Amino acid sequence: MLSICFYILYELLISMSSPTQTTFPEYQGNDLGLKYSQSASVFKVWAPTAEAMKLHFYDKGTDGTRIKTFSMEKSGVGVWQREVAGDLQGQFYTYQSTIDGNEKQEVTDPYAIAVGVNGERAAVIDLRKTDPIDWKNDKKPSQKSFTDIVIYELHIRDLSSHPKSGIKNKGTFLGLTEKGTRGPSLIKTGLDHLVDLGVTHLHILPAFDYASIDETHVGQQYNWGYDPKNYNVPEGSYATDPYTPETRVKEFKEMVKALHQAGISVVMDVVYNHTSGLENSNFSQLVPDYYYRKNKEGKFSNASACGNEIASEMPMVNKFIKESVLHWIREYHVDGFRFDLMGIHDIKLMNEIRDEVNKIDPSIFIYGEGWTASSSPLPDSVRALKANTYKMPGIAAFCDEMRDGIKGHWSNHKDKGFVSGKPKMEESIKFGIVGAIQHKDIDYKKVNYSKNAWADSPSQCINYVSCHDDMTLLDKLAISNPDVSEEELKKRQILSNTIVMTSQGVPFLHAGVDFLNTKNGISNSYKSPDSVNWLDWDRKAKYLAIHEFYKNLIALRKAHPAFRMTSKEMINKHLNFVNLKEENTIAYKISGNANGDEWKEIFVIFNGSNENLNYKLEESQWLRALEGQNIELEPVTVIKESLLIKSFSAVILAQK
Ligand code: CA
C-alpha cells in the first residue's frame, strides 16, 4: 500500500493541529443499515445535518428502473429511518440526503451488507441464504499463542490466474476452494500448495468491495484493491457473478470454509484509513466534513497519500470501523485483520477493536502497518504508530528494522543488506530476532530506524523481509547484486527467510517467496497485469528444492517452541547473543529448553559476509539442524569442535 501512494504525489505540508470536524451526539444503537425480514425491512442511516432523506428502490444494481421512493423519518440522534412492508429481497436501494437546501447525490448505505455490480447500489438480501452448507459448524483453526502463527500474504487472483495453475475458477474466491489441483510436473498448486507448505494463516489482500476494477469487465484489469468502496461487502470481481448480490457473499464464505477445513486461518487486509472517493463518497454525501480529517487550514489532510484520511477518532467513525470488523468476524468467520496504514488510526480505536474482538474470540490476530504514507494532523502520541505498539496490547506491527536490515532499503533498490554483505546491519537484525522487545544484548543506537524497542511482547512483532509492496525478494536481491550468479542469489534468498523464520515474533511470508517468484523487477505492481503478479507455477516446478527448503523451515519452527517464545521475560532469560569477532555475522544461543523445547540448547549463526567463517565450538558436541539449504528435522549429523559457516549462509545446531 505504502508504495502505491508514494507514486501519487500529493504535496501537503501539514503542521500539527487538532481535527476541525464538527461533533454530534453519538448514536448508541447497533442497528444502522438494513434489518431484513420476509414481512418488512427497516432502514436506518445516520445523517445529523440532513434536512430530508430519501430512500430509493431499484430493480437492478445498475441502470434499470426506479421502483419507488420513500421519505425517511428523523429520530432524536441524527438517525433517519423507514420501515418498508413486504419481502424486499432482490431489490436495490440508495439514500439521498438534502443538506443546506441542496439535494445531494444518491449513495449506497455505508452499512450495506450486499451490493449490485460495481457497488453502486446496496441490495436487500437474506444473509442466511448465503450460508454454505453446515456453516454453523464451521470450525476455526486455533493457535495457543500468536507466536505460533505463520502468515502467507496472497492476492486472490495471484493464486489461480497463471495458465498452469490447474485451477478452474481462476481469479476468484472459489479458486481457493479447489482441492487436488496440480501444475507443471504435477506440483501441488492452490489450496494444496498452502496446506503442503504448512502456513497457519492466509492473509488476503483487500477483498472487500473496492473501486478500481470494473466488475462488468472482469479479467481485463488487475488491482491490489487498496481503494475501498463498500466496507462490509466482498469484492465483486472475485465472484463468479458480480451482478447477483448473494453470490459474492456466499463465495467468500465458501472460501473461508474451505480454508478452515484445510486447517488454515483467514486474515483480511482492511483499509479503513481512507476511501476511494472524497467529496463524492457516501460518507461525504450523507454527513459532509465529518468522516475525514482536515488540517489547520481547513483543507482535507492526506496521511494516506491517496487523497484523504479517515478521522477514526470521531465517535461515529470509531463506531463504524468497530462494527465493520465485527461484521466480518460474525458473518464471514474471519480470523484476523491486517490494518493498512494503521498509523493513521488513533490508539483508542485500535484498543477498543481488540477489546470488542476479545469478547468474541481472543485468538483473532490483529496487526498493521505502524506508519503513514504522509503526515497527519492528529498528533503522533495518539496514533497507532509502530513506536506506540507497546500501548496496544494484543496488536502487532510490521518490523521494518529487520526487513531492511536483511535485504536493504525498500525504496533504494540498489541498497544492499546483511545478506548481501552490507556492514553494520547486525543490530537492526538482532532487533527483529528478539521480536522488537527490549533486550540487554542490543545496542539500540546502531539500529536503523528505531532507537528503542517498541513491542512489549514478541507477539506484537511481525517479522518479514518481503511483501506485496515493492519487489519480490529475489528481484530485490538481483537488482542490488547485479554481478552475482543465480546460485549465489538463491543462497541469500534462503538466508533471508532463515533469519525471519527462526526469529521470535510472528513470521510473515510473501506468497511465492518459497519458489523464487518474480515480478520481473517491478516494485509497485498494484495495477500491473496478472502476468506480472501471478504465482508462476512453472517456477515452483523449476525451483522445487527451494520450496521444499521453505516447507522444512516452517516445519522446523513449528516443531520447536524455542523459536516461538511468548514473553519478553522468557526471551531475555533464554536468548543470549554471542559476540563473534568477524564482521557481518550474528550468533545467538537459546538455552534451557526454552518455552518447553525438547532441545536444551540451540545455537544459531548467520554469516552475511563474503568469507567462510570458522568457529571453534566450546561445547563437546552438537547435532546439525540446519546448514545452508539442508534441514534435518530429526538431526543425526554430529558436529564436534570446529564449525564451518559458509559465506551467505546459516547454521543451526542443537543439543538435546
Ligand atoms: Ca468492486
Side-chain angles (χ1 to χ4, degrees):
M1 174 68 240
L2 191 59
S3 59
I4 288 187
C5 298
F6 263 97
Y7 293 85
I8 304 171
L9 292 172
Y10 283 93
E11 290 299 324
L12 276 181
L13 288 168
I14 300 164
S15 53
M16 305 283 270
S17 70
S18 304
T20 51
Q21 288 86 346
T22 319
T23 53
F24 300 100
E26 184 181 354
Y27 177 63
Q28 298 296 334
N30 59 359
D31 56 356
L32 290 175
L34 160 70
K35 188 161 184 274
Y36 165 83
S37 81
Q38 282 183 341
S39 55
S41 292
V42 182
F43 299 83
K44 288 191 181 182
V45 58
W46 183 72
T49 56
E51 293 130 30
M53 185 70 71
K54 285 178 180 167
L55 169 62
H56 301 292
F57 284 92
Y58 292 86
D59 61 348
K60 287 186 177 158
T62 185
D63 302 325
T65 308
R66 188 187 280 177
I67 302 167
K68 53 193 175 256
T69 294
F70 294 94
S71 293
M72 301 183 81
E73 291 154 17
K74 197 173 189 181
S75 68
V77 278
V79 171
W80 297 82
Q81 62 179 44
R82 179 84 200 200
E83 180 171 321
V84 180
D87 189 345
L88 304 183
Q89 255 187 99
Q91 296 193 24
F92 297 84
Y93 70 97
T94 60
Y95 294 133
Q96 189 172 28
S97 63
T98 300
I99 298 171
D100 294 334
N102 297 317
E103 197 156 69
K104 310 287 271 186
Q105 296 167 21
E106 285 182 51
V107 290
T108 52
D109 183 351
Y111 277 81
I113 44 101
V115 294
V117 71
N118 282 329
E120 288 171 7
R121 291 174 189 152
V124 180
I125 66 167
D126 181 354
L127 279 170
R128 295 291 62 79
K129 289 188 179 166
T130 65
D131 291 346
I133 295 163
D134 218 18
W135 183 236
K136 261 190 279 187
N137 295 319
D138 169 54
K139 201 168 168 332
K140 294 154 75 82
S142 194
Q143 71 283 331
K144 218 166 84 192
S145 160
F146 290 139
T147 53
D148 297 342
I149 290 171
V150 179
I151 301 168
Y152 201 59
E153 186 208 35
L154 176 78
H155 185 282
I156 294 281
R157 288 193 67 81
D158 294 350
L159 186 77
S160 51
S161 59
H162 189 270
K164 295 184 189 169
S165 69
I167 295 167
K168 284 197 218 73
N169 292 289
K170 288 191 168 50
T172 67
F173 295 128
L174 290 186
L176 276 101
T177 68
E178 294 181 29
K179 292 181 195 159
T181 59
R182 295 292 179 268
S185 308
L186 295 180
I187 50 132
K188 290 177 180 172
T189 63
L191 180 59
D192 282 19
H193 169 76
L194 304 175
V195 172
D196 189 44
L197 187 58
V199 296
T200 67
H201 282 56
L202 185 69
H203 158 158
I204 51 173
L205 261 64
F208 51 78
D209 181 40
Y210 60 83
S212 55
I213 296 288
D214 180 355
E215 295 174 5
T216 66
H217 292 85
V218 173
Q220 294 181 15
Q221 300 160 298
Y222 178 98
N223 207 285
W224 283 342
Y226 290 91
D227 53 335
K229 194 163 181 183
N230 292 289
Y231 279 109
N232 298 338
V233 184
E235 162 61 14
S237 67
Y238 303 146
T240 56
D241 171 7
Y243 295 89
T244 308
E246 287 85 353
T247 306
R248 59 178 81 189
V249 178
K250 186 166 194 293
E251 291 178 350
F252 192 109
K253 291 177 181 178
E254 295 282 5
M255 171 186 73
V256 174
K257 185 184 166 194
L259 285 161
H260 283 178
Q261 282 179 342
I264 296 172
S265 301
V266 181
V267 175
M268 275 192 79
D269 194 339
V270 286
V271 189
Y272 296 111
N273 64 74
H274 74 279
T275 55
S276 170
L278 174 57
E279 267 100 350
N280 293 330
S281 74
N282 50 7
F283 288 154
S284 292
Q285 292 292 314
L286 292 167
V287 195
D289 296 346
Y290 182 83
Y291 287 88
Y292 303 93
R293 286 188 194 135
K294 288 186 170 179
N295 57 29
K296 67 180 181 185
E297 287 79 39
K299 291 183 176 160
F300 288 108
S301 55
N302 184 25
S304 72
C306 291
N308 61 77
E309 65 179 283
I310 289 281
S312 61
E313 67 282 9
M314 302 303 282
M316 291 300 286
V317 183
N318 167 298
K319 178 184 173 70
F320 177 83
I321 296 173
K322 282 190 297 199
E323 291 183 347
S324 176
V325 166
L326 296 180
H327 179 68
W328 286 103
I329 295 171
R330 290 184 177 128
E331 192 61 35
Y332 293 92
H333 302 185
V334 163
D335 310 287
F337 296 89
R338 175 266 193 196
F339 280 77
D340 185 65
L341 299 180
M342 183 171 72
I344 290 179
H345 298 314
D346 57 303
I347 292 170
K348 178 172 166 283
L349 167 71
M350 296 310 301
N351 282 332
E352 288 178 11
I353 289 172
R354 183 72 259 177
D355 289 345
E356 291 294 319
V357 168
N358 283 349
K359 289 177 197 165
I360 300 174
D361 180 0
S363 77
I364 289 172
F365 191 42
I366 299 174
Y367 55 104
E369 291 182 305
W371 48 71
T372 63
S374 187
S375 54
S376 170
L378 200 69
D380 286 1
S381 60
V382 300
R383 279 187 291 113
L385 292 166
K386 187 179 63 177
N388 294 327
T389 302
Y390 68 95
K391 298 178 187 170
M392 298 180 282
I395 296 177
F398 285 96
C399 182
D400 54 342
E401 290 84 3
M402 182 153 103
R403 180 195 69 196
D404 290 3
I406 293 174
K407 72 174 180 182
H409 192 268
W410 65 274
S411 69
N412 178 1
H413 296 147
K414 294 196 171 162
D415 187 43
K416 297 177 199 254
F418 176 80
V419 301
S420 302
K422 185 180 180 183
K424 303 199 188 325
M425 291 290 105
E426 292 89 338
E427 299 305 307
S428 303
I429 291 171
K430 286 162 67 181
F431 188 97
I433 286 173
V434 300
I437 54 113
Q438 180 70 39
H439 191 281
K440 61 184 171 46
D441 295 342
I442 295 173
D443 183 349
Y444 287 91
K445 291 191 299 292
K446 295 180 181 168
V447 175
N448 49 7
Y449 302 145
S450 293
K451 301 305 169 198
N452 295 292
W454 42 256
D456 191 49
S457 156
S459 61
Q460 291 186 287
C461 174
I462 304 281
N463 274 322
Y464 71 130
V465 64
S466 61
C467 68
H468 72 278
D469 273 321
D470 314 320
M471 293 185 188
T472 71
L473 179 56
L474 185 79
D475 290 352
K476 163 67 180 176
L477 294 175
I479 201 164
S480 54
N481 298 280
D483 304 324
V484 164
S485 70
E486 184 177 278
E487 283 311 303
E488 193 62 30
L489 288 176
K490 280 187 200 168
K491 280 172 62 182
R492 298 173 189 198
Q493 207 268 12
I494 280 172
L495 174 60
S496 300
N497 273 315
T498 302
I499 298 172
V500 168
M501 202 55 65
T502 50
S503 289
Q504 307 299 318
V506 181
F508 171 110
L509 299 171
H510 179 214
V513 76
D514 51 300
F515 48 85
L516 309 180
N517 210 38
T518 175
K519 294 193 291 186
N520 302 319
I522 296 174
S523 57
N524 191 18
S525 62
Y526 78 99
K527 59 176 186 181
S528 299
D530 285 334
S531 57
V532 169
N533 284 292
W534 62 31
L535 297 191
D536 180 346
W537 297 108
D538 274 326
R539 289 180 78 87
K540 183 177 174 187
K542 183 175 177 188
Y543 299 112
L544 198 58
I546 305 285
H547 165 76
E548 289 297 319
F549 167 80
Y550 272 85
K551 181 177 161 178
N552 287 329
L553 188 62
I554 292 170
L556 178 72
R557 180 181 180 87
K558 284 170 137 182
H560 291 284
F563 298 121
R564 301 181 270 118
M565 286 189 265
T566 55
S567 70
K568 62 180 175 186
E569 292 79 13
M570 199 188 282
I571 293 170
N572 270 292
K573 182 179 171 195
H574 294 283
L575 193 155
N576 295 287
F577 287 93
V578 177
N579 277 322
L580 303 181
K581 63 179 189 304
E582 290 82 359
E583 297 278 301
N584 280 39
T585 59
I586 298 169
Y588 64 94
K589 283 183 181 166
I590 306 176
S591 309
N593 300 95
N595 200 19
D597 205 294
E598 60 168 324
W599 288 346
K600 195 170 73 194
E601 293 272 317
I602 302 173
F603 189 21
V604 181
I605 311 112
F606 302 127
N607 182 2
S609 82
N610 228 343
E611 307 287 327
N612 292 341
L613 172 67
N614 286 293
Y615 184 80
K616 190 173 173 335
L617 290 164
E618 286 161 15
E619 293 86 348
S620 54
Q621 67 179 41
W622 293 83
L623 294 167
R624 189 185 67 185
L626 180 148
E627 182 183 16
Q629 197 177 324
N630 302 311
I631 295 179
E632 295 181 43
L633 291 171
E634 299 290 341
V636 290
T637 307
V638 176
I639 307 282
K640 288 180 189 170
E641 292 172 8
S642 147
L643 177 66
L644 172 73
I645 307 107
K646 288 183 184 158
S647 71
F648 302 115
S649 77
V651 169
I652 299 176
L653 305 178
Q655 285 180 340
K656 284 191 179 169

